[in-house]
Amino acid sequence: MTDLRIADVRVTPIAFFDPPLLNNAGCHQPFALRSVIEVETEDGVVGLGESYGTKAVVDGIAAVGAAMVGRKVTDLNALWAAARAPGEARAEGYTGKEAIVPRVVAAIEVAMWDALGKATGQRVVDLLGGQVRDRVPFSAYLFYKFAAHADGTGDDWGEALTPEGLVEQARKMIAENGFKAIKLKAGVLEPEEEIAGLEALREAFPDAPLRIDPNGGWTVETTLKLLPRLTGLVEYLEDPTAGLSENAQVQAATDIPLATNMYVVENAHLPPNMAQDAFRVILSDHHYWGGLAACRQLAHICDLWGLGLGMHSNSHLGISLAAMTHLAAATPNLTYDCDTHQPWQTDEVIAGGKLAFEGGSLTVPEGPGLGVTLDREALKRLHGNYNACGYTVRDDASEMKKHWPDWTFGRPKF
């Protein structure tokens, strides 16, 4: 075996069909933007990664990838240094100004792990420290949604804007995938309506752990008023209001653990979170924490401080899902079933099609590295979607106004 130096890093932006799912920031556009990263070694081994497809991230991956040519696939320190060289840039994203550096690092880092695993005949889960669970459980991720996009494009799910619609959506998703836990994306309708949706889900699924995520859409006052209805109903309350200190006020008033993937999303957020006892569950995401190694470090911090640990999801395809599964399988203190958008996707970029859930969980894909390979024809088709769709940034707000012209963004809003 050679010293596994990088010969080339390629990034291909793609777009795949996304249903009109609603959240506090608006409505999903007809296409979700992603990127596929290929790290090729001098020996011709190709490692795969998947990340965001917004222009700032894609451009960053291309620039940092070029700087990594000639480096070893194990040189994560060089990767971070190359990404930081232009400065700690931020770009407008779903949760405001989002850090570009860790997103770029994560995109390339996963492909480096995959290349290392393929070159040495080892699975990524073993490179991360070894497998601690045979199966990785995921949750049913429910959304309020329109029946079709503004252009008339529909899907197999139909409309869900009432408690009855949510229950029907949950029945379909659980029947197809076997999920045990249920998460509701909220911050869309009046909070009392959303709690009624949760209560309908509890009646339909009496044993399912429930979660709700208003994406910072409720005020502190509204959240405090709702706490009696949420007590005993949810296993955690995710980002109910906007801001660290504001959520700390809520956490001080309840034994329900607050979870976050919005206000503790980088190392600098951890000390003030601990000092204020704002969030007791951190929802990790290797895409924006800086990769698999960074999330392993985060898991260790959570273990030291007694924090719960889960895994956040954004719209993704199979390369990301495989990476999430390897990471979760190697993380002893993963407390909660992971999030995933996979049931909402109809496209795929890995050979053999979508990874299949059994009993709401996945096994680690077989084979070295991530255990998945690229479907070149699918990559070509999805890249064609990207070129044709006409946008290079995510814009839920503008999409929402096509459906509800008087809609306005607010965080908090209700």
Side-chain angles (χ1 to χ4, degrees):
M1 185 182 73
T2 66
D3 55 6
L4 297 177
R5 294 192 180 273
I6 296 172
D8 190 23
V9 178
R10 299 181 291 274
V11 56
T12 305
I14 61 174
F16 60 89
F17 178 75
D18 206 17
L21 308 179
L22 308 184
N23 57 76
N24 175 255
C27 176
H28 286 206
Q29 295 163 288
F31 287 93
L33 305 179
R34 295 294 277 180
S35 57
V36 172
I37 299 89
E38 299 174 75
V39 169
E40 185 170 357
T41 70
E42 292 176 348
D43 291 338
V45 176
V46 177
L48 301 176
E50 179 192 329
S51 187
Y52 304 102
T54 53
K55 187 176 186 302
V57 175
V58 171
D59 289 349
I61 294 169
V64 174
M68 287 300 293
V69 171
R71 295 285 189 174
K72 296 181 181 180
V73 295
T74 55
D75 199 344
L76 301 185
N77 289 330
L79 176 60
W80 278 99
R84 286 176 172 142
E88 295 286 346
R90 289 179 179 265
E92 197 66 33
Y94 175 66
T95 59
K97 292 292 184 182
E98 297 177 344
I100 297 298
V101 167
R103 284 160 170 75
V104 169
V105 168
I108 300 173
E109 188 237 36
V110 170
M112 291 167 65
W113 283 113
D114 188 36
L116 176 62
K118 288 175 177 174
T120 60
Q122 301 178 80
R123 303 176 304 166
V124 169
V125 66
D126 297 316
L127 296 173
L128 293 175
Q131 188 167 346
V132 297
R133 54 178 57 85
D134 293 331
R135 304 193 67 89
V136 175
F138 289 81
S139 63
Y141 201 165
L142 308 185
F143 283 79
Y144 291 104
K145 69 179 293 293
F146 297 125
H149 282 290
D151 64 5
T153 305
D155 55 64
D156 293 335
W157 293 90
E159 183 179 87
L161 293 172
T162 64
E164 295 78 14
L166 289 176
V167 170
E168 183 179 349
Q169 184 184 110
R171 290 192 192 282
K172 174 179 169 61
M173 190 174 293
I174 291 171
E176 292 176 355
N177 300 280
F179 298 124
K180 304 297 188 293
I182 300 173
K183 173 176 173 174
L184 173 60
K185 177 67 76 175
V188 178
L189 307 178
E190 290 294 329
E192 290 78 7
E193 294 182 53
E194 297 180 337
I195 302 302
L198 267 186
E199 291 168 342
L201 289 167
R202 167 56 67 233
E203 184 175 354
F205 303 94
D207 299 322
L210 299 180
R211 315 156 182 181
I212 188 168
D213 173 19
N215 274 145
W218 300 346
T219 65
V220 172
E221 293 73 21
T222 294
T223 309
L224 293 176
K225 187 191 309 181
L226 294 172
L227 286 178
R229 292 179 67 181
L230 290 168
T231 300
L233 182 62
V234 295
E235 62 173 348
Y236 64 63
L237 174 57
E238 181 178 342
D239 290 316
T241 192
L244 201 64
S245 60
E246 290 80 1
N247 279 287
Q249 294 178 53
V250 175
Q251 185 66 90
T254 183
D255 290 330
I256 302 170
L258 265 59
T260 186
N261 75 280
M262 292 178 65
Y263 301 109
V264 182
V265 294
E266 55 189 66
N267 289 338
H269 298 157
L270 286 163
N273 179 67
M274 273 65 149
Q276 297 180 55
D277 186 26
F279 295 102
R280 296 176 183 172
V281 180
I282 307 301
L283 302 178
S284 67
D285 186 327
H286 73 268
H287 300 91
Y288 59 63
W289 274 93
L292 306 181
C295 283
R296 288 282 291 154
Q297 182 181 48
L298 173 64
H300 184 55
I301 293 170
C302 288
D303 191 37
L304 289 174
W305 284 86
L307 298 174
L309 181 67
M311 188 175 289
H312 166 258
S313 163
N314 209 318
S315 300
H316 63 81
L317 293 174
I319 299 171
S320 280
L321 184 57
M324 293 163 64
T325 303
H326 280 267
L327 175 62
T331 304
N333 59 315
L334 190 71
T335 321
Y336 298 93
D337 294 2
C338 304
D339 293 345
T340 180
H341 284 61
Q342 194 255 31
W344 295 108
Q345 76 181 72
T346 53
D347 289 307
E348 187 50 277
V349 77
I350 59 173
K354 294 165 63 173
L355 300 178
F357 292 100
E358 294 183 7
S361 64
L362 289 176
T363 57
V364 174
E366 296 181 3
L370 294 175
V372 297
T373 57
L374 194 58
D375 182 332
R376 294 279 172 191
E377 287 300 314
L379 180 67
K380 181 179 179 180
R381 177 174 57 84
L382 298 180
H383 181 56
N385 288 348
Y386 178 88
N387 290 330
C389 74
Y391 45 87
T392 59
V393 296
R394 178 175 173 174
D395 186 358
D396 290 14
S398 295
E399 194 67 25
M400 187 69 146
K401 288 178 179 292
K402 296 177 183 177
H403 298 269
W404 291 346
D406 295 333
W407 178 88
T408 56
F409 171 72
R411 186 175 290 153
K413 183 175 184 177
F414 299 103

